[in-house]
Amino acid sequence: MIEKYNIPTPKQKRVRIDEEISFDTFPCVLKVDLPIHKSDIGAVITNIQNIEELKKAKEIILNNLKKHNIEAKYLLIQEQIEGIELILGGKFDDIFEEVLILGAGGTLVEVIKDITYIDTNSDEEEIKKAIFKTKISKIFPEFRGKKYNLNALIDVIKKIQLMFKNENIVEFDINPLIINEKGAFAVDVRIKEGVKNKKKFTPKKYSLFENKNVAIIGASEKPIKVGYAIAKNALSSKANIYFVNPRLNELFGKKVYHSVDELPEIDTAVIAIPTKFVIETVEKLAQKGTKNIIVISAGFKEAGNKEGELKLKEIAENYGINLVGPNCLGIYNSEMELNLTFSKAPIKKGEIGIISQSGAVLTALLDKAYFYDIGFSHIISMGNMADYNFAHAINELNNQDSCKIISIYAEGLQFGKEFLKAIRNSKKPVLFFKAGKSEAAKKAAFSHTGNLAGNYEMIITLSEIAGAIIKPSVESLIFAPKYLDKKEAIIVTNAGGPGTILTDIVSEYKKIKDISEYINALNKVLPPTWSHNNPIDVIGDATSERYKNVLEILKNEELIFVIVTPQFMTDSVEIAKMLTNYKNTVPIFLGKESFKEAEKILEEKKLIYFTSLEDILRIL
Amino acid sequence: MIEKYNIPTPKQKRVRIDEEISFDTFPCVLKVDLPIHKSDIGAVITNIQNIEELKKAKEIILNNLKKHNIEAKYLLIQEQIEGIELILGGKFDDIFEEVLILGAGGTLVEVIKDITYIDTNSDEEEIKKAIFKTKISKIFPEFRGKKYNLNALIDVIKKIQLMFKNENIVEFDINPLIINEKGAFAVDVRIKEGVKNKKKFTPKKYSLFENKNVAIIGASEKPIKVGYAIAKNALSSKANIYFVNPRLNELFGKKVYHSVDELPEIDTAVIAIPTKFVIETVEKLAQKGTKNIIVISAGFKEAGNKEGELKLKEIAENYGINLVGPNCLGIYNSEMELNLTFSKAPIKKGEIGIISQSGAVLTALLDKAYFYDIGFSHIISMGNMADYNFAHAINELNNQDSCKIISIYAEGLQFGKEFLKAIRNSKKPVLFFKAGKSEAAKKAAFSHTGNLAGNYEMIITLSEIAGAIIKPSVESLIFAPKYLDKKEAIIVTNAGGPGTILTDIVSEYKKIKDISEYINALNKVLPPTWSHNNPIDVIGDATSERYKNVLEILKNEELIFVIVTPQFMTDSVEIAKMLTNYKNTVPIFLGKESFKEAEKILEEKKLIYFTSLEDILRIL
């Protein structure tokens, strides 16, 4: 296999145990040709300098094998390659299919775990990004006076990608893969063949956001029903809205159809009816040519009803439609001013396209977004993802011009390779938050969605390498977009300590700007003891006037964190009022008792402000 | 040196280059006896099996030395020890003096950096804690069928601690220290001798909190002056309070002394006067027998006035007094009901003793603490720490019975060994937050205090090993004490997603409790689709009644996070009201627009509640 894919190996020779041993390249290594931890039982001897030593080495190995009761037929003689040991392995993963694992090698690989993941579809640039996520990559291009050939490593990885994709291999290990100035050499290889169990991914034919004629199946007059909320939220849309309910004649002044059969031709249907009627209704709608079906109703996989879920998937595939859900909050399409969710908070028009696996997380985000005037171009609540999945959603949002940024909340993933492709091909930034990092959380996620949360590190690493922006907080998904293109930050503070702590937090995500250009101007408005540095410490006796003078000087800056601590002279109410005029600032009022009034002002103006430093993670 | 301290080494022999080579233990290793990276230039040959090979190895090494133009006089022959390579080094640190560094060895030590720090005063238990902070420690007691002798490693570390403490060594490296079943062997040792520049630490003779007769020097009638705030805050104390101000005769109905000389005997003085008068005033007070002097006035090291700062230190040492500050917020002593700070927010009596290097961070914390009814036994604002430092403060709080928990905010440290001793000897939990992790923040800290922030990892590791509880957020210092002894948490939520995210966050600090014992009881009050697991998902249609039923069942639990998302049936105001009756809950209302009323209720009741999941870090 290794030969077929032209992967460099040391010069080597396989000899039968009972045949005379010989080799022509020294130093060399002799080892038993068996898939075991050879060094642990003394079945590898290195640094063999000549034919006599080779013969002696054979005796020693045969002896050691005997001691451990291991039977072997062949020995392997290899040219000894000097260099640094890496390990390059591969595993067929439930989510991402063929995935490579690269890391520091040697006997301690298991304890050190300095590894990275590489998708078999990654190009050279991504492979490089992946390599440089390991600590061992610090050997490139040179380490302790010796050169290491990065290109040779990339070349081997590319060949292995091909091998893994093309062959019936479910697992393999190249351990060690020795790298030196000349190249990268596979010294020991173990391959496990098997059948890859791949799920078929079908790209979507229709846009989910072609919503001219929309039916709400299960529209209700009872305010405690989800079908009421959706009908009400949908009412003011530019689309034609049709209601269906067998018990009603009229709702919100509109005619109510008694069954799906009576409906005119529609492109989109939302289903909020008892579980037992869902499948037949979906089938009828699909037959009628409905292209987008959003199943709000629950009672499927999450409730143990796997059969019903499979049936939904089957219908969607048979008719080639978009089936979103089941067990979801709905969708929103700003271009049609169409809110097909049962969100309590209204939804404002904006530039974020959000894709959420959890309806509740989405609800909470929408509630905050409305308060803080954050708008959305599109919303897709994914629910159980019987059919429509993350890859479909990302591709869809890429086709929507009004969506400028894509935010994803995920617990588990399906079709990982397609997910990575969608991220890779995205013309818009993709923000990504993944729940289920800890073992305890994985258990929780499984119990509430029936989905395996997957290997957190693998999902995060592969997504980041493919181009996703990994977010530290779920609220970043709605708060961070506003600050995403602001790469440099200035901190203005009336106290040094909090400035230092904030610098720790912010500097992981933004550059702490060099403010040399402002020093002269700042000298004129600040007391001589100011910090002369970013954070700009305006000193504890700063009043709103002094803060204002500083902000005037910085008025062309894009991102200024303004820390206010309750110092003796701090006129916090005036500072709060003043700050409402500076759109480039993020106010942080570190206190509570002294800031009751100031908080009210910020709250009324719906400013995004903070009262804790760590909270800033929300916008980073 | 290694012999003197009885540190095991392989059998070895030093031979002159021009003498005949011989050795009697094989396999052995031959190397040049020079303090260079030998393996990089081919000056080490391993696995030598007999005398002929040894001679050949000598030739090769001499050749390689010649090639690199290196002159040498001696070669070293060593018994070859098989095992795992560690590195044990030591450095004389500005803060912690003698510190050991232990980690995975081998050529890649520089890139892998799997290291831990060990204080030379650490006992066996601490040494073990330190060792198990490395990844390489997974080899103990057994790795891949081979045993590794942990006790031998501990023994070597103990001997090295002694050596480093006793000898004029400023730096050393044992690389490698090879560990196997039989022991731990120093194979190659490099020692740098030199003079250790140790600063003298003087323990305090008097308690800082003997405050019966207290003078406020610089008491003022002008509300914009710090001297006004301190005088006012101090007024209601059980102590006798004396005011000093040359311009005033009366303040708050009390006599004002015109100079320090006129004062009766006092034990404690707070100084809030212009910088230029501080030193002479401190000296006069010390002469009068004042034992505790708190210098609020700034204008010393932080303003470039190092000389003044040194003078303060000198006076404190000469008179053996406690000199707190300069440039600080003051102190608070709950037993005397004595608030000697200029904090805006009043201070409530409680069980936390807080020590803060930053006055502003303290101010912000006090402001929140007052609002949320969090009280303090003692407060010490450290300021520049010209004299009184963290070790003094920790020891002091240990002598105060009313202090049950010690919280420390630090930027830089001094007298690290004494700091660690104080933590080690503390009978009370010590919570520790250290600012200045990032390079950018270190720069900021330096510019505002003139203190070097030090090596963050070293400070955190050593402190944790000595027994400090490292906190993830500065606000934890006041919010976490209440939850510190609550080891197990239950999460109750009306939505799965947020439950999963919170589990990720909480499980790093608390155990996610096994709730098997409650399953039957919960089955009776929850719909059949509830999660049957912790997090307890009470399902999206949960009302306050359902939440209440669950909380009744859990009423004996110590820590319950209650997540409320704005679902369709969520009566958030009723839930908020209901929650105020359950003292064992931490409410998390994930939303904003829908929760305006609920927030008001929680705010009015001064409940510690949250609106973001990540915010929970504050109490962990």
Side-chain angles (χ1 to χ4, degrees):
Chain A
M1 194 68 83
I2 291 297
E3 261 171 45
K4 179 171 170 191
Y5 286 89
N6 236 321
I7 290 152
T9 52
K11 190 173 171 188
Q12 67 174 29
K13 188 177 164 186
R14 193 157 168 257
V15 293
R16 290 175 58 95
I17 275 183
D18 52 15
E19 104 194 66
E20 173 92 3
I21 200 161
S22 74
F23 199 59
D24 58 6
T25 312
F26 294 97
C28 72
V29 177
L30 181 68
K31 52 186 162 188
V32 68
D33 191 15
L34 280 178
I36 53 171
H37 276 317
K38 300 170 191 66
S39 56
D40 291 353
I41 55 154
V44 189
I45 291 178
T46 62
N47 222 5
I48 299 168
Q49 300 289 343
N50 52 44
I51 190 75
E52 289 78 46
E53 282 185 37
L54 183 62
K55 283 178 183 164
K56 224 193 271 170
K58 179 179 170 182
E59 273 170 48
I60 296 171
I61 289 181
L62 292 184
N63 241 322
N64 285 338
L65 289 173
K66 216 173 181 177
K67 251 192 260 169
H68 288 85
N69 273 321
I70 295 166
E71 270 190 52
K73 280 194 177 154
Y74 292 96
L75 294 174
L76 205 60
I77 321 169
Q78 280 179 336
E79 170 193 3
Q80 181 158 333
I81 307 270
E82 299 294 338
I84 286 179
E85 294 188 0
L86 302 179
I87 173 165
L88 179 60
K91 233 194 119 163
F92 188 81
D93 179 73
D94 277 348
I95 295 171
F96 291 100
E97 303 181 346
E98 299 93 345
V99 178
L100 307 188
I101 304 162
L102 173 74
T107 41
L108 295 178
V109 51
E110 291 161 38
V111 298
I112 300 292
K113 280 208 176 127
D114 174 35
I115 56 169
T116 188
Y117 299 94
I118 307 170
D119 180 28
T120 43
N121 293 332
S122 284
D123 63 6
E124 183 160 333
E125 198 187 331
E126 283 191 13
I127 293 173
K128 262 192 205 161
K129 259 164 88 178
I131 291 172
F132 283 97
K133 281 190 160 284
T134 62
K135 291 183 184 169
I136 191 95
S137 64
K138 286 184 206 139
I139 62 168
F140 299 115
E142 206 176 302
F143 176 65
R144 283 196 176 176
K146 286 189 182 162
K147 286 182 181 152
Y148 295 93
N149 196 328
L150 178 60
N151 288 330
L153 175 60
I154 294 169
D155 190 59
V156 166
I157 292 171
K158 282 179 175 170
K159 286 168 174 168
I160 291 287
Q161 284 178 318
L162 214 65
M163 176 190 90
F164 200 11
K165 273 202 284 198
N166 292 349
E167 307 290 337
N168 287 328
I169 295 174
V170 290
E171 209 181 314
F172 70 88
D173 266 313
I174 304 179
N175 182 13
L177 174 75
I178 294 187
I179 183 151
N180 57 29
E181 182 167 1
K182 286 186 206 138
F185 303 90
V187 176
D188 207 346
V189 182
R190 195 180 53 81
I191 288 178
K192 190 173 158 191
E193 289 184 309
V195 179
K196 298 176 192 172
N197 186 14
K198 294 196 183 190
K199 287 176 200 118
K200 195 172 158 276
F201 176 82
T202 318
K204 291 299 178 188
K205 293 186 286 189
Y206 310 116
S207 164
L208 179 65
F209 294 109
E210 286 286 329
N211 316 120
K212 291 205 175 62
N213 298 293
V214 178
I216 291 153
I217 324 292
S220 171
E221 83 288 15
K222 297 177 192 154
I224 63 154
K225 290 261 186 182
V226 161
Y228 170 89
I230 300 173
K232 197 153 174 279
N233 283 341
L235 256 188
S236 60
S237 165
K238 285 187 195 165
N240 302 312
I241 303 289
Y242 303 95
F243 295 145
V244 178
N245 185 329
R247 293 179 301 94
L248 283 184
N249 294 321
E250 209 190 275
L251 182 63
F252 303 128
K254 281 177 85 88
K255 173 186 172 181
V256 176
Y257 294 82
H258 285 173
S259 87
V260 166
D261 307 316
E262 293 172 18
L263 279 173
E265 197 176 316
I266 55 164
D267 47 49
T268 303
V270 182
I271 297 183
I273 57 178
T275 314
K276 57 184 171 184
F277 303 122
V278 171
I279 288 168
E280 67 178 287
T281 308
V282 168
E283 184 122 39
K284 268 189 199 166
L285 285 162
Q287 275 167 359
K288 276 180 79 79
T290 312
K291 288 163 188 159
N292 304 307
I293 303 181
I294 292 100
V295 183
I296 305 287
S297 312
F300 292 86
K301 191 171 65 181
E302 88 288 356
N305 177 8
K306 279 192 189 168
E307 209 181 328
E309 183 118 348
L310 277 174
K311 187 71 194 156
L312 287 178
K313 180 185 164 72
E314 201 184 296
I315 299 169
E317 276 171 8
N318 286 347
Y319 291 91
I321 59 169
N322 299 320
L323 187 142
V324 176
N327 188 23
C328 76
L329 190 78
I331 66 169
Y332 167 78
N333 177 351
S334 66
E335 283 169 52
M336 297 301 287
E337 288 165 23
L338 178 65
N339 180 352
L340 290 177
T341 75
F342 59 99
S343 166
K344 259 187 179 179
I347 299 169
K348 289 178 182 169
K349 203 166 180 159
E351 301 192 327
I352 304 172
I354 194 164
I355 305 167
S356 173
Q357 194 171 353
S358 157
V361 167
L362 187 55
T363 304
L365 291 178
L366 295 181
D367 211 59
K368 285 208 175 168
Y370 180 75
F371 184 87
Y372 289 112
D373 260 338
I374 296 168
F376 299 90
S377 66
H378 302 83
I379 294 171
I380 311 173
S381 167
M382 305 297 289
N384 293 4
M385 302 194 289
D387 165 53
Y388 201 83
N389 60 47
F390 285 118
H392 296 131
I394 299 169
N395 291 335
E396 174 69 54
L397 292 184
N398 257 284
N399 293 331
Q400 298 293 336
D401 288 342
S402 57
C403 170
K404 303 295 180 202
I405 203 159
I406 300 170
S407 278
I408 302 174
Y409 168 82
E411 288 169 18
L413 284 184
Q414 309 168 332
F415 298 106
K417 277 213 158 16
E418 298 298 327
F419 177 74
L420 295 179
K421 265 187 214 163
I423 291 175
R424 203 172 277 138
N425 297 332
S426 178
K427 297 178 295 284
K428 300 160 190 184
V430 177
L431 307 189
F432 184 45
F433 180 91
K434 159 95 177 71
K437 185 176 189 169
S438 61
E439 282 312 310
K442 280 179 193 168
K443 226 174 101 187
F446 183 73
S447 91
H448 93 92
T449 63
N451 279 324
L452 284 172
N455 176 335
Y456 181 86
E457 285 307 326
M458 188 195 282
I459 294 173
I460 289 298
T461 306
L462 289 174
S463 305
E464 188 167 20
I465 291 168
I469 301 164
I470 309 302
K471 284 291 130 191
S473 134
V474 65
E475 296 197 3
S476 305
L477 295 177
I478 59 164
F479 287 109
K482 187 175 161 189
Y483 307 95
L484 198 64
D485 58 344
K486 307 185 195 327
K487 306 288 181 204
E488 294 189 318
I490 293 181
I491 297 170
V492 177
T493 176
N494 67 349
T500 305
I501 305 173
L502 191 64
T503 303
D504 273 335
I505 299 168
V506 171
S507 65
E508 266 193 62
Y509 302 92
K510 309 277 179 195
K511 191 167 172 273
I512 304 297
K513 188 179 168 119
D514 178 343
I515 56 157
S516 316
E517 60 188 297
Y518 296 119
I519 299 279
N520 284 336
L522 290 168
N523 280 338
K524 285 178 196 146
V525 301
L526 289 174
T529 50
W530 82 277
S531 61
H532 292 78
N533 216 327
N534 180 11
I536 299 173
D537 185 345
V538 297
I539 310 299
D541 61 352
T543 56
S544 56
E545 190 61 24
R546 193 187 295 166
Y547 272 103
K548 193 183 162 208
N549 290 337
V550 171
L551 294 178
E552 271 303 307
I553 291 169
L554 305 176
K555 64 176 180 288
N556 293 322
E557 287 299 321
E558 46 187 11
L559 180 56
I560 305 171
F561 293 94
V562 180
I563 299 176
V564 184
T565 61
Q567 300 295 324
F568 210 65
M569 303 287 294
T570 313
D571 49 345
S572 59
V573 173
E574 289 308 310
I575 295 174
K577 281 183 195 159
M578 182 271 294
L579 286 175
T580 61
N581 298 322
Y582 292 90
K583 301 295 173 215
N584 57 350
T585 62
V586 178
I588 307 168
F589 279 69
L590 290 180
K592 190 88 194 169
E593 183 64 22
S594 307
F595 293 153
K596 286 178 191 162
E597 279 307 306
E599 271 204 66
K600 251 186 221 162
I601 290 160
L602 299 168
E603 196 85 15
E604 271 161 23
K605 294 275 179 180
K606 301 201 169 187
L607 242 76
I608 297 172
Y609 75 96
F610 299 90
T611 59
S612 299
L613 293 165
E614 287 78 10
D615 230 12
I616 287 293
L617 282 179
R618 274 201 265 169
I619 66 164
L620 293 175
Chain B
M1 194 68 84
I2 291 297
E3 260 170 45
K4 178 172 170 191
Y5 286 90
N6 236 322
I7 291 152
T9 52
K11 190 172 169 187
Q12 66 174 27
K13 187 176 164 188
R14 195 156 166 258
V15 294
R16 291 175 57 93
I17 275 183
D18 51 13
E19 104 194 68
E20 173 94 4
I21 199 162
S22 73
F23 199 59
D24 57 7
T25 311
F26 294 97
C28 72
V29 178
L30 183 68
K31 53 186 160 187
V32 69
D33 191 16
L34 280 178
I36 53 171
H37 276 318
K38 302 170 189 68
S39 57
D40 290 355
I41 54 154
V44 189
I45 291 178
T46 61
N47 222 5
I48 300 169
Q49 301 288 343
N50 51 47
I51 190 75
E52 290 78 45
E53 282 184 38
L54 183 61
K55 285 179 183 164
K56 225 194 270 165
K58 179 179 169 183
E59 273 170 47
I60 296 171
I61 288 181
L62 293 185
N63 241 322
N64 285 338
L65 289 173
K66 216 173 182 179
K67 249 193 261 168
H68 289 85
N69 272 321
I70 294 167
E71 270 192 52
K73 280 193 179 156
Y74 292 95
L75 294 173
L76 206 59
I77 320 169
Q78 280 179 333
E79 170 192 2
Q80 180 158 332
I81 307 270
E82 299 293 338
I84 287 179
E85 294 188 2
L86 303 179
I87 174 166
L88 178 60
K91 233 194 120 163
F92 187 82
D93 179 71
D94 277 347
I95 295 171
F96 291 101
E97 303 181 346
E98 299 93 346
V99 178
L100 307 188
I101 303 161
L102 173 75
T107 41
L108 295 178
V109 52
E110 291 161 41
V111 299
I112 298 292
K113 280 207 178 129
D114 174 35
I115 57 169
T116 189
Y117 299 93
I118 307 171
D119 180 25
T120 42
N121 293 330
S122 284
D123 64 5
E124 182 160 335
E125 199 187 329
E126 283 191 14
I127 293 174
K128 262 192 202 159
K129 259 164 88 177
I131 292 172
F132 284 97
K133 281 192 159 283
T134 62
K135 290 182 184 170
I136 191 97
S137 64
K138 286 185 205 139
I139 62 169
F140 299 114
E142 206 177 302
F143 176 65
R144 281 196 177 176
K146 285 191 184 159
K147 286 181 182 152
Y148 294 94
N149 196 326
L150 177 60
N151 288 331
L153 175 60
I154 294 170
D155 190 58
V156 167
I157 291 171
K158 282 179 178 172
K159 287 169 174 167
I160 291 288
Q161 283 178 317
L162 214 63
M163 176 189 89
F164 199 11
K165 271 202 281 196
N166 292 349
E167 307 289 339
N168 288 327
I169 296 174
V170 290
E171 209 181 314
F172 70 88
D173 266 313
I174 304 179
N175 182 13
L177 174 74
I178 294 187
I179 183 152
N180 57 31
E181 182 168 3
K182 284 186 209 139
F185 303 90
V187 176
D188 207 346
V189 182
R190 195 180 53 81
I191 289 179
K192 190 174 157 191
E193 289 183 307
V195 178
K196 299 176 190 173
N197 185 14
K198 293 195 182 189
K199 286 177 203 118
K200 194 172 158 274
F201 176 83
T202 319
K204 290 300 178 188
K205 293 187 285 189
Y206 311 115
S207 164
L208 180 64
F209 293 109
E210 286 287 328
N211 317 121
K212 291 204 175 64
N213 297 293
V214 179
I216 292 153
I217 324 291
S220 172
E221 82 289 13
K222 296 178 190 152
I224 63 154
K225 291 261 186 181
V226 161
Y228 170 88
I230 300 172
K232 196 154 178 277
N233 283 340
L235 257 188
S236 60
S237 166
K238 285 188 198 164
N240 301 313
I241 303 287
Y242 303 96
F243 296 145
V244 178
N245 186 327
R247 292 181 301 92
L248 282 183
N249 295 319
E250 207 192 279
L251 181 64
F252 303 127
K254 280 176 86 86
K255 173 185 172 183
V256 176
Y257 294 81
H258 285 172
S259 87
V260 165
D261 308 315
E262 294 171 17
L263 279 173
E265 197 177 316
I266 55 164
D267 47 48
T268 304
V270 183
I271 297 184
I273 57 178
T275 314
K276 57 183 170 185
F277 303 123
V278 170
I279 288 169
E280 67 178 288
T281 308
V282 167
E283 183 122 41
K284 269 188 198 166
L285 285 163
Q287 276 167 358
K288 276 179 79 81
T290 312
K291 289 164 187 160
N292 304 306
I293 303 182
I294 293 100
V295 183
I296 306 287
S297 312
F300 292 86
K301 191 172 65 182
E302 87 289 358
N305 176 9
K306 278 191 190 169
E307 209 180 326
E309 184 119 348
L310 277 174
K311 187 72 195 154
L312 288 177
K313 181 186 165 71
E314 202 184 296
I315 299 171
E317 277 172 7
N318 286 347
Y319 291 89
I321 59 169
N322 300 319
L323 187 142
V324 176
N327 188 22
C328 75
L329 189 77
I331 65 168
Y332 167 79
N333 177 352
S334 66
E335 283 168 52
M336 298 300 289
E337 290 167 21
L338 178 64
N339 180 352
L340 289 178
T341 76
F342 59 98
S343 166
K344 260 188 178 179
I347 299 169
K348 290 179 181 169
K349 203 167 181 158
E351 303 192 327
I352 304 172
I354 193 164
I355 305 167
S356 173
Q357 194 169 355
S358 158
V361 167
L362 186 55
T363 305
L365 291 177
L366 295 180
D367 212 60
K368 285 207 176 168
Y370 181 76
F371 184 87
Y372 290 112
D373 260 338
I374 296 168
F376 300 89
S377 66
H378 302 83
I379 294 171
I380 310 173
S381 168
M382 304 298 289
N384 293 3
M385 301 195 287
D387 165 53
Y388 202 83
N389 60 47
F390 285 119
H392 296 133
I394 299 169
N395 292 335
E396 173 69 56
L397 292 183
N398 258 283
N399 292 330
Q400 298 293 336
D401 288 343
S402 58
C403 170
K404 303 295 180 204
I405 202 159
I406 300 170
S407 278
I408 302 173
Y409 168 81
E411 288 169 18
L413 285 184
Q414 310 168 331
F415 297 105
K417 277 215 158 15
E418 298 297 328
F419 178 74
L420 296 179
K421 265 186 213 163
I423 291 175
R424 201 174 278 137
N425 297 333
S426 178
K427 298 179 294 285
K428 300 159 189 185
V430 176
L431 307 189
F432 184 44
F433 180 90
K434 159 93 177 73
K437 186 177 188 168
S438 61
E439 282 313 311
K442 279 179 194 169
K443 228 174 99 187
F446 183 72
S447 92
H448 93 89
T449 64
N451 279 324
L452 285 171
N455 176 335
Y456 181 85
E457 286 307 326
M458 188 195 282
I459 295 174
I460 288 298
T461 305
L462 290 174
S463 305
E464 188 167 20
I465 290 167
I469 302 165
I470 308 303
K471 286 289 128 193
S473 135
V474 65
E475 296 199 1
S476 306
L477 295 177
I478 58 164
F479 288 110
K482 186 176 162 186
Y483 308 96
L484 198 64
D485 58 342
K486 307 183 193 331
K487 305 289 182 205
E488 295 188 317
I490 293 181
I491 297 170
V492 177
T493 176
N494 67 350
T500 305
I501 304 171
L502 191 63
T503 304
D504 272 335
I505 298 168
V506 172
S507 64
E508 266 192 59
Y509 302 91
K510 308 278 180 194
K511 192 168 173 268
I512 304 297
K513 189 181 168 118
D514 178 344
I515 56 156
S516 316
E517 60 188 295
Y518 297 120
I519 299 279
N520 284 335
L522 289 168
N523 279 338
K524 284 176 196 148
V525 302
L526 289 173
T529 50
W530 82 278
S531 61
H532 292 77
N533 216 327
N534 180 10
I536 299 173
D537 185 347
V538 298
I539 309 300
D541 60 352
T543 56
S544 56
E545 189 62 24
R546 193 186 295 165
Y547 272 102
K548 194 185 162 207
N549 290 338
V550 170
L551 293 178
E552 271 302 308
I553 291 169
L554 304 177
K555 65 176 177 287
N556 294 323
E557 287 299 321
E558 47 187 10
L559 180 56
I560 306 171
F561 293 95
V562 180
I563 299 176
V564 184
T565 61
Q567 301 294 322
F568 211 65
M569 303 289 291
T570 312
D571 49 345
S572 60
V573 173
E574 290 307 310
I575 295 173
K577 281 183 194 158
M578 182 272 292
L579 286 176
T580 60
N581 298 323
Y582 292 90
K583 302 295 174 213
N584 57 350
T585 62
V586 178
I588 307 168
F589 279 70
L590 290 180
K592 191 88 194 168
E593 183 63 23
S594 307
F595 292 151
K596 285 178 193 162
E597 279 306 307
E599 270 204 68
K600 252 187 221 162
I601 291 161
L602 299 168
E603 196 84 14
E604 272 160 24
K605 296 274 179 185
K606 301 200 169 189
L607 242 76
I608 297 172
Y609 75 96
F610 298 90
T611 59
S612 298
L613 293 166
E614 286 79 9
D615 230 11
I616 287 294
L617 282 179
R618 273 201 266 169
I619 66 164
L620 293 176

